[in-house]
Amino acid sequence: HFHSQRRTLLIGFYIGDEVDVKLMDPKKLKGPNVWPTDANCSMTDEQCRLFRETMERYRQEAVRVCMELVKSFAVSLTSNHPHLFDEYFTEPSTFIRLLHYSAEESAPSEGVYACGAHSDYGMLTLLLTDDNPGLQIQTNDGIWVDVPPKKGAFVVNIGDMFERWTNGLFKSTMHRVITPKGAKERFSVPFFFEPNFDALVECLESCCDEDNPAKYPPITAGQHLLNMYSSTHADFNASSKTS
């Protein structure tokens, strides 16, 4: 996938939940992945097999980590109910993106970014990065600050969906990637973790009251994602079939 936004340049390989072609449902973002083979890429058959095995194992472990994070979020919201969200994640939707950023220097004043400012749509994002700088987050004051790479650690982004669920108590993280002068090519692996497609996302009782009513109407997790994809991707069509 080649992404262009203003002068945003990056190449990505996207991996969703693996679903047999007989059970594919584009309206629920479900379908088979297009895996590398020795016929469609320069890797050998063994390398392609190891790549798929690695990505599938990574997904399993990332889901485990994200479920622990979700439990921690639940405790912070309820004090004594770590399993508050369990029923909404019996079949979570997940997406892995393997991203390669150009070494071209960013020039924000001219609209040139490694990746333009945005927030993530879903529940949370587990981000693995290399040791190159570039990631920035925006503070509540609108100031952009660097997020230094830290070996052996993930960056965790709160997404728009969790902000809805908590009525704004947990803020979705606005972030971007700015490539500094003299930087190398940058690689990162965001893992997007979402509730069951049909899970109802509505304001938690602990996050609203008469003085602070719900700011967002209830919506299913899947419909929220479809709405966001439709509003930000001109070529997105949930009814289309994979080739």
Side-chain angles (χ1 to χ4, degrees):
H1 179 75
F2 184 77
H3 181 67
S4 178
Q5 177 188 1
R6 304 180 186 90
R7 287 272 323 276
T8 297
L9 298 176
L10 62 90
I11 297 174
F13 186 82
Y14 296 0
I15 305 170
D17 300 321
E18 185 65 26
V19 176
D20 187 274
V21 66
K22 297 178 181 178
L23 301 175
M24 71 179 293
D25 186 353
K27 293 182 178 179
K28 289 192 173 184
L29 306 177
K30 299 293 185 182
N33 289 297
V34 180
W35 294 102
T37 69
D38 58 358
N40 65 19
C41 74
S42 60
M43 294 193 297
T44 65
D45 181 68
E46 177 67 7
Q47 289 172 329
C48 291
R49 183 185 66 79
L50 289 174
F51 174 82
R52 178 168 179 173
E53 286 183 0
T54 300
M55 291 298 98
E56 291 180 335
R57 175 65 185 276
Y58 185 82
R59 177 194 177 277
Q60 293 175 357
E61 292 302 309
V63 166
R64 181 182 62 81
V65 172
C66 286
M67 283 304 303
E68 291 302 315
L69 286 170
V70 168
K71 290 177 182 177
S72 296
F73 294 156
V75 170
S76 73
L77 291 164
T78 63
S79 298
N80 58 359
H81 192 358
H83 301 290
L84 174 68
F85 295 107
D86 284 10
E87 65 180 293
Y88 304 105
F89 290 91
T90 55
E91 296 182 21
S93 297
T94 67
F95 305 91
I96 301 173
R97 293 183 180 177
L98 308 178
L99 301 180
H100 175 199
Y101 293 92
S102 167
E104 178 183 354
E105 181 184 0
S106 298
S109 63
E110 300 173 12
V112 180
Y113 300 86
C115 185
H118 65 284
S119 60
D120 294 337
Y121 307 147
M123 178 75 175
L124 65 90
T125 304
L126 198 64
L127 178 64
L128 176 67
T129 70
D130 61 14
D131 57 0
N132 292 306
L135 178 64
Q136 296 183 332
I137 60 171
Q138 189 176 45
T139 67
N140 291 334
D141 298 324
I143 300 172
W144 289 101
V145 297
D146 294 326
V147 180
K150 186 174 182 180
K151 188 174 181 179
F154 289 106
V155 176
V156 179
N157 283 339
I158 298 297
D160 300 340
M161 192 183 304
F162 198 41
E163 181 169 329
R164 291 182 69 114
W165 228 334
T166 62
N167 209 29
L169 181 62
F170 279 70
K171 299 291 186 181
S172 183
T173 311
M174 187 68 70
H175 54 286
R176 67 182 185 181
V177 178
I178 301 295
T179 302
K181 184 177 181 179
K184 301 177 182 179
E185 296 174 315
R186 181 174 178 271
F187 295 86
S188 70
V189 184
F191 177 79
F192 301 95
F193 187 67
E194 324 297 2
N196 304 348
F197 192 88
D198 295 320
L200 185 64
V201 178
E202 58 182 336
C203 182
L204 298 169
E205 292 184 2
S206 61
C207 296
C208 62
D209 53 35
E210 292 184 0
D211 297 325
N212 183 35
K215 300 180 178 71
Y216 310 96
I219 190 172
T220 62
Q223 190 59 55
H224 169 78
L225 292 176
L226 293 175
N227 290 351
M228 298 303 294
Y229 288 141
S230 296
S231 66
T232 57
H233 294 69
D235 59 349
F236 176 73
N237 184 354
S239 64
S240 64
K241 295 184 178 180
T242 56
S243 57

